[in-house]
Amino acid sequence: MLPFQLVYHPGYDLNLGDHVFPARKYRLIRERLLAERFAEPADFVEPEAVSDDAVLRVHEPGWVHRLRTGTLSEAEVIKLELPYSREMVQGFWLAAGGTILAARNALRDRIGFNIGGGFHHAFPGHGEGFCAIHDIAIAIRALQHERLIERALVVDCDVHHGNGTAAIFAGDRSVLTLSLHQFSNYPREKPPSVIDIDLPDGVEDSEYLDRLNGALKVAMSFAPDLLVYVAGADPYCEDQLGGLALTMDGLKRRDQLVFETALVPPVPVAAVLAGGYARDTNDTVTIHCNTAKAAAATLVQESRQP
Ligand SMILES: [Zn+2]
Protein backbone atom coordinates (compact mmCIF):
# COMPACT_ATOMS: atom_id res chain seq x y z
CA MET A 1 0.00 0.00 0.00
CA LEU A 2 1.09 3.54 -0.68
CA PRO A 3 1.51 5.96 2.24
CA PHE A 4 -1.16 8.21 0.68
CA GLN A 5 -4.31 7.73 -1.39
CA LEU A 6 -4.73 8.36 -5.09
CA VAL A 7 -8.00 10.20 -5.63
CA TYR A 8 -9.61 9.24 -8.93
CA HIS A 9 -13.03 8.86 -10.54
CA PRO A 10 -13.86 7.41 -13.99
CA GLY A 11 -16.06 10.48 -14.49
CA TYR A 12 -12.97 12.74 -14.60
CA ASP A 13 -12.95 12.09 -18.35
CA LEU A 14 -14.55 15.25 -19.72
CA ASN A 15 -16.00 13.50 -22.77
CA LEU A 16 -14.21 15.80 -25.21
CA GLY A 17 -13.71 13.50 -28.20
CA ASP A 18 -10.81 14.55 -30.40
CA HIS A 19 -9.47 17.59 -28.52
CA VAL A 20 -5.98 18.90 -27.70
CA PHE A 21 -6.86 18.43 -24.02
CA PRO A 22 -6.32 14.68 -23.49
CA ALA A 23 -9.00 14.12 -20.85
CA ARG A 24 -8.49 10.38 -21.17
CA LYS A 25 -5.11 10.91 -19.45
CA TYR A 26 -6.67 10.45 -16.02
CA ARG A 27 -7.72 6.90 -16.81
CA LEU A 28 -4.37 6.19 -18.50
CA ILE A 29 -2.48 7.38 -15.40
CA ARG A 30 -4.47 5.04 -13.19
CA GLU A 31 -3.89 2.15 -15.58
CA ARG A 32 -0.15 2.88 -15.80
CA LEU A 33 0.32 3.11 -12.03
CA LEU A 34 -1.44 -0.23 -11.65
CA ALA A 35 0.40 -1.90 -14.55
CA GLU A 36 3.77 -0.84 -13.12
CA ARG A 37 2.70 -2.12 -9.69
CA PHE A 38 3.47 1.26 -8.17
CA ALA A 39 -0.10 1.19 -6.86
CA GLU A 40 -2.74 -1.44 -6.18
CA PRO A 41 -6.52 -1.01 -6.55
CA ALA A 42 -6.89 -0.36 -2.81
CA ASP A 43 -4.67 2.74 -3.11
CA PHE A 44 -7.37 4.51 -5.15
CA VAL A 45 -10.31 6.31 -3.62
CA GLU A 46 -13.30 7.80 -5.47
CA PRO A 47 -14.44 11.30 -4.53
CA GLU A 48 -18.01 12.51 -4.44
CA ALA A 49 -18.99 15.38 -6.69
CA VAL A 50 -18.58 18.72 -4.90
CA SER A 51 -21.75 20.31 -3.53
CA ASP A 52 -23.09 23.43 -5.24
CA ASP A 53 -22.80 25.22 -1.88
CA ALA A 54 -19.05 24.63 -1.88
CA VAL A 55 -18.78 25.77 -5.52
CA LEU A 56 -20.70 28.94 -4.66
CA ARG A 57 -18.05 29.99 -2.12
CA VAL A 58 -15.89 30.78 -5.16
CA HIS A 59 -18.20 31.15 -8.15
CA GLU A 60 -21.03 33.50 -9.09
CA PRO A 61 -24.51 31.90 -8.93
CA GLY A 62 -25.27 32.80 -12.56
CA TRP A 63 -22.19 30.98 -13.86
CA VAL A 64 -22.96 27.87 -11.78
CA HIS A 65 -26.59 27.91 -12.93
CA ARG A 66 -25.68 28.24 -16.61
CA LEU A 67 -23.18 25.38 -16.33
CA ARG A 68 -25.72 23.21 -14.53
CA THR A 69 -28.55 23.89 -16.96
CA GLY A 70 -26.61 23.95 -20.22
CA THR A 71 -27.52 27.58 -20.90
CA LEU A 72 -24.05 29.05 -21.56
CA SER A 73 -23.94 31.66 -24.29
CA GLU A 74 -22.01 30.86 -27.45
CA ALA A 75 -19.35 33.37 -26.37
CA GLU A 76 -18.99 31.60 -23.02
CA VAL A 77 -18.49 28.22 -24.71
CA ILE A 78 -15.89 29.72 -27.06
CA LYS A 79 -13.98 31.23 -24.13
CA LEU A 80 -14.11 27.93 -22.23
CA GLU A 81 -12.70 26.16 -25.31
CA LEU A 82 -14.54 22.94 -24.50
CA PRO A 83 -17.59 21.36 -26.14
CA TYR A 84 -20.51 21.54 -23.71
CA SER A 85 -21.96 18.33 -22.30
CA ARG A 86 -23.51 17.21 -19.03
CA GLU A 87 -20.62 14.76 -18.65
CA MET A 88 -18.16 17.64 -18.97
CA VAL A 89 -19.86 19.58 -16.18
CA GLN A 90 -20.09 16.48 -14.00
CA GLY A 91 -16.38 15.86 -14.63
CA PHE A 92 -15.54 19.29 -13.23
CA TRP A 93 -17.79 18.75 -10.19
CA LEU A 94 -16.08 15.41 -9.54
CA ALA A 95 -12.60 16.91 -9.99
CA ALA A 96 -13.40 19.63 -7.43
CA GLY A 97 -14.72 16.98 -5.04
CA GLY A 98 -11.45 15.15 -5.67
CA THR A 99 -9.29 18.15 -4.86
CA ILE A 100 -11.22 18.71 -1.61
CA LEU A 101 -10.65 15.05 -0.71
CA ALA A 102 -6.95 15.27 -1.62
CA ALA A 103 -6.60 18.39 0.56
CA ARG A 104 -8.27 16.64 3.50
CA ASN A 105 -6.07 13.60 2.97
CA ALA A 106 -3.00 15.83 2.94
CA LEU A 107 -3.83 17.00 6.47
CA ARG A 108 -4.03 13.35 7.59
CA ASP A 109 -1.30 11.67 5.48
CA ARG A 110 1.03 14.62 4.76
CA ILE A 111 0.35 14.17 1.03
CA GLY A 112 -2.93 14.12 -0.85
CA PHE A 113 -2.98 13.37 -4.56
CA ASN A 114 -5.76 14.07 -7.02
CA ILE A 115 -5.31 12.34 -10.39
CA GLY A 116 -7.23 15.27 -11.83
CA GLY A 117 -8.02 18.91 -11.11
CA GLY A 118 -5.75 21.93 -11.38
CA PHE A 119 -8.25 24.05 -13.31
CA HIS A 120 -6.45 27.30 -12.57
CA HIS A 121 -7.90 29.38 -15.42
CA ALA A 122 -11.48 29.42 -14.09
CA PHE A 123 -12.78 32.77 -12.78
CA PRO A 124 -15.73 33.38 -10.43
CA GLY A 125 -18.06 34.35 -13.27
CA HIS A 126 -16.67 32.59 -16.33
CA GLY A 127 -14.54 29.68 -17.46
CA GLU A 128 -11.66 29.75 -19.91
CA GLY A 129 -8.68 27.74 -21.14
CA PHE A 130 -10.35 24.33 -20.55
CA CYS A 131 -11.31 25.27 -16.96
CA ALA A 132 -14.98 25.59 -15.94
CA ILE A 133 -14.71 25.78 -12.16
CA HIS A 134 -11.68 26.37 -9.96
CA ASP A 135 -11.23 23.16 -7.96
CA ILE A 136 -8.18 24.50 -6.08
CA ALA A 137 -9.94 27.61 -4.78
CA ILE A 138 -13.06 25.57 -3.97
CA ALA A 139 -10.95 23.15 -1.90
CA ILE A 140 -9.11 25.93 -0.04
CA ARG A 141 -12.38 27.69 0.74
CA ALA A 142 -13.96 24.40 1.91
CA LEU A 143 -11.13 23.68 4.35
CA GLN A 144 -11.06 27.27 5.57
CA HIS A 145 -14.83 27.15 6.06
CA GLU A 146 -14.45 24.03 8.21
CA ARG A 147 -11.59 25.73 10.09
CA LEU A 148 -9.24 22.91 9.17
CA ILE A 149 -6.77 25.43 7.76
CA GLU A 150 -6.23 29.18 7.88
CA ARG A 151 -3.44 29.83 5.41
CA ALA A 152 -2.82 28.16 2.08
CA LEU A 153 0.00 28.40 -0.44
CA VAL A 154 -0.63 27.60 -4.11
CA VAL A 155 2.53 26.61 -6.01
CA ASP A 156 1.57 26.64 -9.67
CA CYS A 157 4.15 25.02 -11.94
CA ASP A 158 1.89 24.65 -14.98
CA VAL A 159 3.53 26.35 -17.98
CA HIS A 160 0.57 28.77 -18.15
CA HIS A 161 0.04 31.58 -15.66
CA GLY A 162 -2.52 30.85 -12.91
CA ASN A 163 -4.75 33.77 -13.85
CA GLY A 164 -7.95 32.49 -12.21
CA THR A 165 -6.12 31.70 -8.98
CA ALA A 166 -4.55 35.17 -8.89
CA ALA A 167 -7.90 36.86 -9.53
CA ILE A 168 -9.85 34.82 -6.97
CA PHE A 169 -7.35 35.35 -4.16
CA ALA A 170 -6.36 38.96 -4.98
CA GLY A 171 -6.19 40.92 -1.75
CA ASP A 172 -6.79 37.81 0.39
CA ARG A 173 -3.95 37.65 2.89
CA SER A 174 -4.81 34.07 3.87
CA VAL A 175 -3.69 32.66 0.51
CA LEU A 176 -0.28 33.13 -1.07
CA THR A 177 -0.28 32.50 -4.81
CA LEU A 178 2.95 31.59 -6.60
CA SER A 179 2.96 31.06 -10.37
CA LEU A 180 6.02 30.00 -12.36
CA HIS A 181 5.14 30.21 -16.05
CA GLN A 182 6.23 31.05 -19.59
CA PHE A 183 5.55 34.77 -19.91
CA SER A 184 4.79 34.91 -23.64
CA ASN A 185 2.02 32.34 -23.56
CA TYR A 186 -1.69 32.16 -22.75
CA PRO A 187 -3.25 33.93 -20.84
CA ARG A 188 -2.41 37.29 -22.37
CA GLU A 189 -3.86 39.13 -19.35
CA LYS A 190 -2.10 38.00 -16.19
CA PRO A 191 -3.67 39.36 -13.01
CA PRO A 192 -0.81 39.52 -10.49
CA SER A 193 -0.16 36.53 -8.22
CA VAL A 194 1.58 37.36 -4.95
CA ILE A 195 4.74 35.94 -6.55
CA ASP A 196 4.94 35.71 -10.34
CA ILE A 197 8.03 34.18 -11.94
CA ASP A 198 7.86 35.22 -15.60
CA LEU A 199 10.09 32.87 -17.59
CA PRO A 200 11.34 33.62 -21.10
CA ASP A 201 10.78 31.10 -23.90
CA GLY A 202 12.95 28.02 -23.99
CA VAL A 203 14.05 27.91 -20.34
CA GLU A 204 15.82 24.62 -19.54
CA ASP A 205 16.03 22.47 -16.42
CA SER A 206 18.76 24.17 -14.40
CA GLU A 207 17.44 27.72 -14.76
CA TYR A 208 13.88 26.58 -14.06
CA LEU A 209 14.89 24.69 -10.93
CA ASP A 210 16.98 27.63 -9.66
CA ARG A 211 14.08 30.03 -10.10
CA LEU A 212 11.63 27.62 -8.48
CA ASN A 213 13.95 26.97 -5.55
CA GLY A 214 14.36 30.70 -4.88
CA ALA A 215 10.62 31.36 -5.10
CA LEU A 216 9.75 28.39 -2.86
CA LYS A 217 12.09 29.63 -0.13
CA VAL A 218 10.32 32.99 -0.09
CA ALA A 219 6.86 31.43 -0.27
CA MET A 220 7.48 28.95 2.55
CA SER A 221 8.21 31.81 4.95
CA PHE A 222 4.44 32.42 4.77
CA ALA A 223 4.11 29.33 7.00
CA PRO A 224 1.04 27.88 5.26
CA ASP A 225 -1.17 25.17 6.79
CA LEU A 226 -1.55 23.57 3.35
CA LEU A 227 0.39 23.71 0.09
CA VAL A 228 -1.52 23.00 -3.12
CA TYR A 229 0.91 21.88 -5.80
CA VAL A 230 -0.35 22.49 -9.35
CA ALA A 231 1.86 19.96 -11.12
CA GLY A 232 1.26 20.81 -14.78
CA ALA A 233 3.06 18.51 -17.22
CA ASP A 234 3.22 21.22 -19.89
CA PRO A 235 6.64 22.83 -19.17
CA TYR A 236 7.93 19.70 -20.99
CA CYS A 237 10.02 20.37 -24.11
CA GLU A 238 7.68 18.27 -26.29
CA ASP A 239 4.50 20.04 -25.21
CA GLN A 240 2.25 21.38 -27.98
CA LEU A 241 0.94 24.32 -25.95
CA GLY A 242 4.09 25.16 -24.01
CA GLY A 243 7.31 26.90 -24.99
CA LEU A 244 9.68 25.89 -22.20
CA ALA A 245 12.30 23.16 -22.63
CA LEU A 246 12.24 21.00 -19.51
CA THR A 247 13.26 17.38 -19.84
CA MET A 248 11.45 14.46 -18.25
CA ASP A 249 14.27 14.33 -15.67
CA GLY A 250 14.02 18.06 -14.99
CA LEU A 251 10.31 17.69 -14.30
CA LYS A 252 11.05 14.85 -11.85
CA ARG A 253 13.51 17.08 -10.02
CA ARG A 254 10.90 19.84 -9.97
CA ASP A 255 8.43 17.50 -8.25
CA GLN A 256 11.07 16.37 -5.74
CA LEU A 257 11.99 19.96 -4.96
CA VAL A 258 8.39 20.90 -4.17
CA PHE A 259 7.66 17.83 -2.02
CA GLU A 260 10.98 17.94 -0.17
CA THR A 261 10.73 21.66 0.50
CA ALA A 262 7.21 21.27 1.90
CA LEU A 263 7.87 18.23 4.04
CA VAL A 264 10.69 19.69 6.09
CA PRO A 265 8.73 22.30 8.21
CA PRO A 266 6.35 20.16 7.65
CA VAL A 267 3.54 21.49 5.45
CA PRO A 268 0.94 19.06 4.03
CA VAL A 269 0.83 18.96 0.22
CA ALA A 270 -2.21 18.38 -1.97
CA ALA A 271 -1.12 17.73 -5.56
CA VAL A 272 -3.35 18.31 -8.59
CA LEU A 273 -2.45 17.66 -12.23
CA ALA A 274 -3.46 20.66 -14.41
CA GLY A 275 -2.24 20.74 -18.05
CA GLY A 276 -0.16 18.46 -20.25
CA TYR A 277 -0.34 18.39 -24.04
CA ALA A 278 2.73 16.44 -25.13
CA ARG A 279 2.75 15.34 -28.76
CA ASP A 280 2.66 11.79 -27.41
CA THR A 281 0.04 11.53 -24.64
CA ASN A 282 2.11 8.70 -23.14
CA ASP A 283 4.73 11.32 -22.22
CA THR A 284 2.10 13.39 -20.41
CA VAL A 285 1.02 10.24 -18.55
CA THR A 286 4.64 9.46 -17.62
CA ILE A 287 5.22 12.99 -16.26
CA HIS A 288 2.08 12.84 -14.09
CA CYS A 289 2.95 9.32 -12.87
CA ASN A 290 6.42 10.58 -11.95
CA THR A 291 4.82 13.25 -9.75
CA ALA A 292 3.05 10.52 -7.76
CA LYS A 293 6.33 8.59 -7.52
CA ALA A 294 8.19 11.68 -6.27
CA ALA A 295 5.53 12.15 -3.59
CA ALA A 296 5.91 8.54 -2.42
CA ALA A 297 9.72 8.72 -2.50
CA THR A 298 9.71 11.85 -0.34
CA LEU A 299 7.60 10.17 2.34
CA VAL A 300 9.71 7.00 2.29
CA GLN A 301 12.92 9.03 2.54
CA GLU A 302 11.49 10.99 5.44
CA SER A 303 10.39 7.87 7.34
CA ARG A 304 13.96 6.53 7.16
CA GLN A 305 15.38 9.58 8.89
CA PRO A 306 16.15 9.18 12.59
ZN1 LIG B 1 -1.16 24.71 -18.79
Side-chain angles (χ1 to χ4, degrees), residues 120-121 129 156 158-161 186 232-235 239 241 274-277:
H120 59 161
H121 301 311
D156 190 338
D158 189 275
V159 80
H160 303 102
H161 177 258
Y186 168 88
D234 47 13
D239 197 88
L241 301 186
Y277 316 92

Side-chain angles (χ1 to χ4, degrees), residues 155-175:
V155 175
D156 190 338
C157 291
D158 189 275
V159 80
H160 303 102
H161 177 258
N163 55 343
T165 321
I168 289 167
F169 293 118
D172 180 342
R173 297 170 69 93
S174 72
V175 180

Side-chain angles (χ1 to χ4, degrees), residues 212-235:
L212 175 60
N213 192 28
L216 275 176
K217 283 198 174 113
V218 175
M220 289 299 285
S221 67
F222 178 65
D225 304 310
L226 174 73
L227 187 161
V228 182
Y229 175 34
V230 185
D234 47 13

Side-chain angles (χ1 to χ4, degrees), residues 72-130:
L72 304 189
S73 69
E74 197 178 330
E76 285 177 319
V77 174
I78 288 169
K79 201 162 177 61
L80 181 57
E81 296 186 77
L82 293 176
Y84 183 89
S85 69
R86 296 288 168 125
E87 291 94 336
M88 181 268 278
V89 173
Q90 181 66 5
F92 280 108
W93 256 250
L94 285 167
T99 299
I100 293 174
L101 181 55
R104 279 188 213 289
N105 285 353
L107 301 183
R108 184 190 62 198
D109 302 332
R110 306 281 296 275
I111 286 177
F113 201 98
N114 190 9
I115 303 183
F119 298 114
H120 59 161
H121 301 311
F123 283 71
H126 76 270
E128 60 175 77
F130 318 146

Side-chain angles (χ1 to χ4, degrees), residues 8 20 34 159 169 179 183 210 212 223 234 247 251-252 264 282:
Y8 169 79
V20 69
L34 286 169
V159 80
F169 293 118
S179 178
F183 183 71
D210 275 356
L212 175 60
D234 47 13
T247 64
L251 287 160
K252 271 192 213 174
V264 175
N282 285 318

